[in-house]
Amino acid sequence: MTKDLTIEEIRERKKRQLIAQFENQKKASEAVEPEKSELEIREEKNDLLLKQVLVSEAYQYFKQRSIDLQEKTLSVIKKRLSTGELSYGYQLTLLGLQRLDRKIMGIEPSITIRRRGKDDVKLS
């Protein structure tokens, strides 16, 4: 009878130790995962928006651009979405994004005519 009590006590003690160990591990894992700041949350939302609106090639091109140009382009895309010029069903291609970047930078469109044996003619 005493053997049964001691075995039960050992099992209960071991059970409490395992529960305490599990709770400590849970607390440690929660401490390791810091809460996301507002900036990170905003960046994730912007990233998700861009993935919906841009084709994959255009998205990769967008990420290669300077941060200043990225912010300006993102604000123009958001403005176009809010005004209805751009819809979520329509995806912006690489050429469309490059055209938008040139417009933001203030580069006017130009046409160059090249003929064999003659100088290039630029039409503005």
Side-chain angles (χ1 to χ4, degrees), residues 13-66:
R13 194 177 327 131
K14 186 67 173 174
K15 184 178 174 181
R16 280 184 262 137
Q17 287 175 352
L18 289 174
I19 290 173
Q21 184 180 8
F22 176 74
E23 289 175 357
N24 289 339
Q25 287 176 352
K26 188 175 178 181
K27 288 178 184 177
S29 67
E30 288 175 359
V32 170
E33 298 175 13
E35 293 184 20
K36 293 182 180 177
S37 67
E38 289 183 30
L39 180 63
E40 291 173 345
I41 293 171
R42 189 175 344 122
E43 286 178 0
E44 286 179 4
K45 286 182 180 179
N46 290 340
D47 198 44
L48 182 63
L49 171 78
L50 289 170
K51 286 182 180 178
Q52 289 177 350
V53 174
L54 300 177
V55 177
S56 63
E57 295 171 343
Y59 179 75
Q60 291 172 356
Y61 172 79
F62 178 83
K63 287 298 182 179
Q64 293 173 355
R65 304 297 288 175
S66 67

Side-chain angles (χ1 to χ4, degrees), residues 3 13 22 24 37 43 55-56 65 67 69 73 80 87 91 95 101-102 114 118 121:
K3 271 189 172 180
R13 194 177 327 131
F22 176 74
N24 289 339
S37 67
E43 286 178 0
V55 177
S56 63
R65 304 297 288 175
I67 293 175
L69 189 58
T73 306
R80 287 188 175 186
S87 64
Q91 286 193 323
L95 291 175
D101 284 347
R102 286 192 300 272
R114 294 185 177 152
K118 296 185 179 180
V121 178

